[in-house]
C-alpha cells in the first residue's frame, strides 16, 4: 500500500519467568504483556498463549490497517470488532486455522467495502502467515 512508511527495526525483549510464563516488553514504549502455555500444552492458561497472541496480533493489525484507510477517507470505524478463533493441528503442533469474524459499524452497501477488505487481506500480519494456515473471514456490516 503506497501510504506505508519506511520500515524500521523495533526491538522487543522477552524474559522467561519459569513455569512456562514469559514477559514481553516493547522497547520503544516499555509496554509489558505476558504469556502462559495453554492448558492443553502443559500450561495453566493464565494468560494469552504465544499462538493466541499471534492470532490476536493479526486481528489488531487488520484493524489498524483498516483504521489508517478509514482516517484517510473520513470513515469512522469506532466499535469495529474482530473475533478470532484458533484451531491447532497436532502433528506438527501449529496453528492450522484462524476463523475470523469482522464486524464493521457501516452499512453493507458502503462504497468502501472492497477497499476495507483489501486492507484486511493486505495487512502485514496477514501477509506474514504461513500459506498453509487457513483464515476464513466472515464480515458483518451493522451500520
Amino acid at each position: 500500500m503506497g501510504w506505508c512508511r519506511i520500515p524500521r527495526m523495533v526491538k522487543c525483549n522477552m524474559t522467561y519467568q519459569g513455569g512456562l510464563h514469559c514477559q514481553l516488553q516493547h522497547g520503544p514504549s516499555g509496554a509489558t504483556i505476558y504469556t502462559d502455555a495453554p492448558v492443553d500444552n502443559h500450561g495453566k492458561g493464565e494468560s494469552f498463549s504465544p499462538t493466541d497472541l499471534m492470532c490476536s496480533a493479526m486481528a489488531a493489525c487488520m484493524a489498524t490497517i483498516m483504521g489508517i484507510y478509514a482516517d484517510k477517507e473520513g470513515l469512522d470505524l469506532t466499535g469495529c470488532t474482530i473475533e478470532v478463533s484458533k484451531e491447532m493441528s497436532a502433528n506438527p503442533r501449529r496453528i492450522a486455522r484462524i476463523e475470523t469474524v469482522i464486524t464493521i459499524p457501516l452499512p453493507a452497501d458502503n462504497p468502501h467495502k472492497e477497499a476495507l477488505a483489501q486492507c484486511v487481506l493486505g495487512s502485514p500480519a496477514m501477509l506474514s502467515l504461513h500459506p498453509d494456515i487457513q483464515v476464513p473471514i466472515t464480515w458483518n456490516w451493522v451500520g
Side-chain angles (χ1 to χ4, degrees), residues 27-90:
S29 70
T32 303
I33 56 175
Y34 299 89
T35 65
D36 183 20
V39 174
D40 69 348
N41 199 26
H42 310 286
K44 295 179 182 175
E46 295 176 334
S47 188
F48 287 95
S49 73
T51 53
D52 293 342
L53 194 56
M54 184 176 145
C55 296
S56 297
M58 179 199 74
C61 187
M62 290 172 167
T64 300
I65 298 302
M66 285 193 296
I68 292 168
Y69 174 82
D71 286 350
K72 288 184 173 281
E73 296 297 323
L75 301 173
D76 183 5
L77 293 184
T78 302
C80 168
T81 62
I82 301 178
E83 178 183 294
V84 291
S85 300
K86 173 189 72 173
E87 183 179 318
M88 299 291 288
S89 66

Coordinates of all heavy atoms in Angstrom, one line a residue, residues 27-90:
G27 N 10.2 -2.4 23.3 CA 11.3 -1.5 23.5 C 11.0 0.0 23.5 O 11.2 0.7 24.4
P28 N 10.3 0.5 22.4 CA 10.1 1.9 22.4 C 9.2 2.5 23.5 O 9.4 3.6 24.0 CB 9.4 2.1 21.0 CG 9.9 1.0 20.2 CD 10.0 -0.2 21.2
S29 N 8.1 1.7 23.8 CA 7.2 2.2 24.8 C 7.4 1.7 26.2 O 6.9 2.3 27.2 CB 5.7 1.9 24.4 OG 5.5 0.5 24.5
G30 N 8.0 0.5 26.3 CA 8.1 -0.1 27.6 C 6.9 -0.9 28.0 O 6.8 -1.5 29.1
A31 N 5.9 -0.9 27.2 CA 4.6 -1.7 27.5 C 5.0 -3.1 27.7 O 5.9 -3.7 27.0 CB 3.6 -1.5 26.4
T32 N 4.3 -3.8 28.7 CA 4.6 -5.2 29.0 C 3.4 -6.0 28.9 O 2.3 -5.6 29.3 CB 5.2 -5.3 30.4 OG1 6.3 -4.4 30.5 CG2 5.6 -6.7 30.8
I33 N 3.5 -7.2 28.3 CA 2.5 -8.2 28.3 C 3.1 -9.6 28.7 O 4.3 -9.7 28.7 CB 1.8 -8.3 26.9 CG1 2.8 -8.6 25.8 CG2 1.0 -7.0 26.6 CD1 2.2 -8.8 24.4
Y34 N 2.2 -10.5 29.0 CA 2.7 -11.8 29.5 C 2.0 -12.9 28.7 O 0.9 -12.8 28.2 CB 2.3 -11.9 31.0 CG 3.0 -10.9 31.8 CD1 2.3 -9.7 32.1 CD2 4.2 -11.1 32.4 CE1 3.0 -8.7 32.8 CE2 4.8 -10.1 33.1 CZ 4.2 -8.9 33.4 OH 4.8 -8.0 34.1
T35 N 2.7 -14.1 28.6 CA 2.1 -15.2 28.0 C 2.2 -16.4 29.0 O 3.1 -16.4 29.9 CB 2.8 -15.6 26.7 OG1 4.2 -16.0 26.9 CG2 2.7 -14.5 25.7
D36 N 1.4 -17.4 28.8 CA 1.5 -18.7 29.5 C 1.1 -19.8 28.5 O 0.4 -19.5 27.5 CB 0.4 -18.7 30.6 CG 0.5 -19.9 31.5 OD1 1.6 -20.6 31.5 OD2 -0.5 -20.2 32.2
A37 N 1.7 -20.9 28.7 CA 1.3 -22.1 27.9 C -0.1 -22.4 28.1 O -0.7 -22.3 29.2 CB 2.2 -23.3 28.2
P38 N -0.8 -22.9 27.1 CA -2.2 -23.3 27.2 C -2.4 -24.6 28.0 O -1.4 -25.3 28.2 CB -2.7 -23.5 25.8 CG -1.5 -23.8 25.0 CD -0.4 -23.1 25.7
V39 N -3.5 -24.8 28.6 CA -3.8 -25.9 29.4 C -3.5 -27.2 28.7 O -3.0 -28.2 29.2 CB -5.2 -25.9 30.0 CG1 -5.6 -27.2 30.7 CG2 -5.4 -24.7 30.9
D40 N -3.9 -27.2 27.4 CA -3.6 -28.5 26.6 C -2.2 -28.7 26.2 O -1.9 -29.6 25.4 CB -4.6 -28.5 25.4 CG -4.2 -27.5 24.3 OD1 -3.4 -26.5 24.6 OD2 -4.8 -27.6 23.2
N41 N -1.3 -27.8 26.6 CA 0.1 -28.0 26.3 C 1.0 -27.6 27.5 O 1.9 -26.8 27.5 CB 0.5 -27.1 25.1 CG 1.8 -27.6 24.5 OD1 2.2 -28.7 24.5 ND2 2.5 -26.6 23.8
H42 N 0.6 -28.2 28.7 CA 1.4 -28.2 29.9 C 1.3 -26.9 30.7 O 2.0 -26.7 31.7 CB 2.9 -28.6 29.6 CG 3.1 -29.8 28.9 ND1 2.9 -31.0 29.4 CD2 3.4 -30.0 27.5 CE1 3.1 -31.9 28.4 NE2 3.4 -31.3 27.3
G43 N 0.5 -25.9 30.3 CA 0.4 -24.7 31.0 C -0.8 -24.6 31.9 O -1.6 -25.5 32.0
K44 N -1.0 -23.4 32.4 CA -2.1 -23.1 33.3 C -3.2 -22.3 32.6 O -4.2 -22.1 33.1 CB -1.7 -22.4 34.6 CG -0.8 -23.3 35.4 CD -0.3 -22.5 36.7 CE 0.6 -23.3 37.5 NZ 1.2 -22.6 38.6
G45 N -2.8 -21.8 31.4 CA -3.8 -20.9 30.7 C -4.1 -19.6 31.4 O -5.2 -19.1 31.3
E46 N -3.1 -19.1 32.1 CA -3.4 -17.9 32.9 C -3.3 -16.6 32.1 O -3.5 -15.5 32.6 CB -2.4 -17.8 34.1 CG -2.6 -19.0 35.1 CD -1.5 -19.0 36.2 OE1 -0.4 -18.5 36.0 OE2 -1.9 -19.5 37.2
S47 N -2.9 -16.7 30.9 CA -2.8 -15.5 30.0 C -2.8 -16.0 28.6 O -3.1 -17.2 28.3 CB -1.4 -14.8 30.3 OG -1.4 -13.6 29.6
F48 N -2.6 -15.1 27.6 CA -2.5 -15.4 26.2 C -1.5 -16.5 26.1 O -0.4 -16.4 26.7 CB -2.1 -14.2 25.4 CG -3.1 -13.2 25.2 CD1 -3.2 -12.1 26.0 CD2 -4.1 -13.3 24.1 CE1 -4.1 -11.1 25.8 CE2 -5.0 -12.3 23.9 CZ -5.0 -11.2 24.7
S49 N -1.7 -17.5 25.2 CA -0.6 -18.4 24.8 C 0.1 -17.6 23.7 O -0.4 -16.7 23.1 CB -1.1 -19.7 24.3 OG -1.7 -19.6 23.0
P50 N 1.4 -18.0 23.4 CA 2.0 -17.3 22.3 C 1.2 -17.4 21.0 O 1.2 -16.4 20.2 CB 3.4 -18.1 22.2 CG 3.6 -18.5 23.6 CD 2.3 -18.9 24.1
T51 N 0.6 -18.5 20.7 CA -0.2 -18.6 19.5 C -1.5 -17.8 19.6 O -2.0 -17.3 18.6 CB -0.5 -20.1 19.1 OG1 -1.1 -20.8 20.2 CG2 0.8 -20.8 18.7
D52 N -2.1 -17.7 20.8 CA -3.3 -16.8 21.0 C -2.8 -15.4 20.7 O -3.6 -14.6 20.0 CB -3.8 -16.8 22.4 CG -4.4 -18.1 22.9 OD1 -4.7 -18.9 22.1 OD2 -4.4 -18.3 24.2
L53 N -1.7 -15.0 21.2 CA -1.2 -13.6 21.0 C -0.9 -13.4 19.5 O -1.2 -12.3 18.9 CB 0.1 -13.4 21.8 CG 0.6 -12.0 22.0 CD1 -0.4 -11.1 22.6 CD2 1.9 -12.1 22.8
M54 N -0.4 -14.4 18.8 CA -0.2 -14.3 17.3 C -1.5 -14.0 16.6 O -1.6 -13.1 15.7 CB 0.5 -15.5 16.8 CG 0.9 -15.4 15.3 SD 1.8 -16.9 14.9 CE 1.2 -17.1 13.2
C55 N -2.5 -14.7 16.9 CA -3.8 -14.6 16.2 C -4.5 -13.2 16.6 O -5.0 -12.5 15.8 CB -4.8 -15.7 16.6 SG -4.2 -17.3 16.0
S56 N -4.3 -12.8 17.9 CA -4.9 -11.5 18.3 C -4.1 -10.4 17.6 O -4.7 -9.4 17.3 CB -4.8 -11.4 19.8 OG -5.6 -12.4 20.4
A57 N -2.8 -10.6 17.5 CA -2.0 -9.5 16.8 C -2.4 -9.4 15.4 O -2.4 -8.3 14.8 CB -0.5 -9.9 16.9
M58 N -2.7 -10.5 14.7 CA -3.2 -10.5 13.3 C -4.5 -9.6 13.3 O -4.6 -8.8 12.4 CB -3.5 -11.9 12.8 CG -4.0 -11.9 11.4 SD -4.8 -13.4 10.9 CE -6.4 -13.3 11.8
A59 N -5.4 -9.9 14.2 CA -6.7 -9.1 14.3 C -6.4 -7.6 14.5 O -7.0 -6.7 13.8 CB -7.6 -9.6 15.3
A60 N -5.5 -7.3 15.4 CA -5.1 -5.9 15.7 C -4.5 -5.2 14.4 O -4.7 -4.1 14.1 CB -4.2 -5.8 16.9
C61 N -3.7 -6.0 13.7 CA -3.0 -5.5 12.5 C -4.1 -5.2 11.4 O -4.1 -4.1 10.8 CB -2.0 -6.5 12.0 SG -1.0 -5.9 10.6
M62 N -5.0 -6.1 11.3 CA -6.1 -5.9 10.3 C -6.9 -4.6 10.6 O -7.1 -3.8 9.8 CB -7.1 -7.1 10.3 CG -6.6 -8.4 9.8 SD -7.8 -9.7 10.1 CE -7.1 -11.0 9.1
A63 N -7.2 -4.5 11.9 CA -8.0 -3.3 12.3 C -7.2 -2.0 12.2 O -7.7 -1.0 11.8 CB -8.4 -3.4 13.8
T64 N -5.9 -2.1 12.4 CA -5.0 -0.9 12.3 C -5.0 -0.4 10.9 O -5.1 0.8 10.6 CB -3.6 -1.2 12.9 OG1 -3.8 -1.5 14.3 CG2 -2.7 0.0 12.7
I65 N -4.8 -1.4 10.0 CA -4.7 -1.0 8.5 C -6.0 -0.5 8.0 O -6.0 0.5 7.3 CB -4.2 -2.2 7.7 CG1 -2.8 -2.7 8.1 CG2 -4.2 -1.9 6.2 CD1 -1.7 -1.6 8.1
M66 N -7.1 -1.1 8.5 CA -8.4 -0.5 8.1 C -8.6 0.9 8.7 O -9.1 1.8 8.0 CB -9.6 -1.4 8.6 CG -9.7 -2.7 7.7 SD -11.3 -3.5 8.1 CE -11.1 -4.0 9.8
G67 N -8.1 1.1 9.9 CA -8.2 2.4 10.6 C -7.4 3.4 9.8 O -7.9 4.6 9.7
I68 N -6.2 3.1 9.3 CA -5.4 4.1 8.6 C -6.2 4.5 7.3 O -6.3 5.7 7.0 CB -4.1 3.5 8.2 CG1 -3.2 3.3 9.5 CG2 -3.3 4.3 7.2 CD1 -2.0 2.5 9.3
Y69 N -6.8 3.5 6.6 CA -7.6 3.8 5.4 C -8.8 4.6 5.8 O -9.1 5.6 5.1 CB -8.0 2.5 4.8 CG -8.9 2.7 3.6 CD1 -8.4 3.1 2.3 CD2 -10.3 2.6 3.8 CE1 -9.3 3.3 1.3 CE2 -11.2 2.9 2.7 CZ -10.7 3.2 1.5 OH -11.5 3.5 0.4
A70 N -9.5 4.2 6.9 CA -10.7 4.9 7.3 C -10.4 6.4 7.6 O -11.1 7.3 7.3 CB -11.3 4.2 8.5
D71 N -9.3 6.6 8.3 CA -8.9 8.0 8.7 C -8.7 8.9 7.4 O -9.1 10.0 7.4 CB -7.7 8.0 9.5 CG -7.9 7.6 11.0 OD1 -9.1 7.4 11.4 OD2 -6.9 7.4 11.7
K72 N -8.0 8.3 6.4 CA -7.8 9.0 5.2 C -9.1 9.3 4.4 O -9.1 10.3 3.7 CB -6.8 8.2 4.3 CG -5.4 8.2 4.8 CD -4.5 7.5 3.8 CE -3.1 7.6 4.2 NZ -2.5 8.9 3.9
E73 N -10.0 8.4 4.6 CA -11.3 8.5 3.8 C -12.4 9.2 4.6 O -13.5 9.3 4.1 CB -11.7 7.1 3.3 CG -10.8 6.5 2.3 CD -10.6 7.3 1.0 OE1 -11.6 7.9 0.5 OE2 -9.5 7.4 0.5
G74 N -12.1 9.6 5.8 CA -13.2 10.2 6.7 C -14.2 9.2 7.2 O -15.4 9.7 7.4
L75 N -13.9 8.0 7.3 CA -14.8 7.0 7.8 C -14.6 6.8 9.3 O -13.5 6.9 9.8 CB -14.6 5.6 7.2 CG -14.8 5.6 5.7 CD1 -14.4 4.2 5.1 CD2 -16.2 5.8 5.3
D76 N -15.6 6.5 10.1 CA -15.5 6.2 11.5 C -15.7 4.7 11.7 O -16.8 4.2 11.6 CB -16.5 7.0 12.3 CG -16.4 6.8 13.8 OD1 -15.4 6.2 14.2 OD2 -17.2 7.4 14.5
L77 N -14.6 4.0 12.1 CA -14.7 2.6 12.4 C -14.8 2.3 13.9 O -14.6 1.1 14.3 CB -13.5 1.8 11.8 CG -13.4 1.8 10.2 CD1 -12.3 0.9 9.8 CD2 -14.7 1.3 9.6
T78 N -15.0 3.3 14.7 CA -15.1 3.1 16.1 C -16.1 2.0 16.4 O -17.2 2.1 15.9 CB -15.5 4.4 16.8 OG1 -14.5 5.4 16.5 CG2 -15.6 4.2 18.4
G79 N -15.7 1.1 17.2 CA -16.6 0.0 17.5 C -16.4 -1.3 16.7 O -17.1 -2.3 16.9
C80 N -15.6 -1.2 15.7 CA -15.2 -2.3 14.9 C -14.7 -3.4 15.8 O -13.9 -3.1 16.7 CB -14.2 -2.0 13.8 SG -13.5 -3.4 12.9
T81 N -15.1 -4.6 15.6 CA -14.6 -5.8 16.4 C -14.1 -6.9 15.4 O -14.6 -7.0 14.3 CB -15.6 -6.4 17.3 OG1 -16.7 -6.9 16.6 CG2 -16.1 -5.3 18.3
I82 N -13.1 -7.6 15.9 CA -12.6 -8.7 15.2 C -12.4 -9.9 16.2 O -11.7 -9.7 17.1 CB -11.3 -8.5 14.4 CG1 -11.4 -7.3 13.4 CG2 -10.8 -9.7 13.7 CD1 -10.1 -6.9 12.7
E83 N -13.2 -10.9 15.9 CA -13.1 -12.1 16.8 C -12.3 -13.2 16.1 O -12.6 -13.5 14.9 CB -14.5 -12.6 17.1 CG -14.6 -13.8 18.0 CD -16.0 -14.3 18.2 OE1 -16.8 -13.6 18.8 OE2 -16.3 -15.4 17.7
V84 N -11.3 -13.7 16.7 CA -10.5 -14.8 16.1 C -10.7 -16.1 17.0 O -10.7 -16.0 18.2 CB -9.0 -14.4 16.0 CG1 -8.8 -13.4 14.9 CG2 -8.4 -14.0 17.3
S85 N -10.8 -17.2 16.3 CA -10.9 -18.5 16.9 C -9.8 -19.4 16.3 O -9.8 -19.6 15.1 CB -12.3 -19.1 16.7 OG -13.3 -18.3 17.2
K86 N -8.9 -19.8 17.2 CA -7.7 -20.5 16.7 C -7.9 -22.0 16.8 O -8.4 -22.5 17.8 CB -6.5 -20.1 17.6 CG -5.3 -20.9 17.4 CD -4.2 -20.5 18.4 CE -4.7 -21.2 19.7 NZ -3.7 -21.0 20.8
E87 N -7.5 -22.7 15.7 CA -7.6 -24.2 15.7 C -6.1 -24.7 15.5 O -5.5 -24.2 14.6 CB -8.5 -24.7 14.6 CG -8.7 -26.2 14.5 CD -9.6 -26.5 13.4 OE1 -10.6 -25.9 13.2 OE2 -9.3 -27.5 12.7
M88 N -5.7 -25.5 16.4 CA -4.3 -26.1 16.3 C -4.3 -27.4 15.6 O -5.3 -28.2 15.7 CB -3.7 -26.2 17.7 CG -3.6 -24.9 18.5 SD -2.4 -23.8 17.8 CE -0.9 -24.6 18.2
S89 N -3.3 -27.8 14.9 CA -3.1 -29.1 14.4 C -2.2 -29.9 15.4 O -1.4 -29.2 16.1 CB -2.5 -29.1 13.0 OG -1.2 -28.6 13.0
A90 N -2.2 -31.2 15.4 CA -1.4 -31.9 16.3 C 0.0 -32.3 15.9 O 0.9 -32.3 16.7 CB -2.2 -33.2 16.7

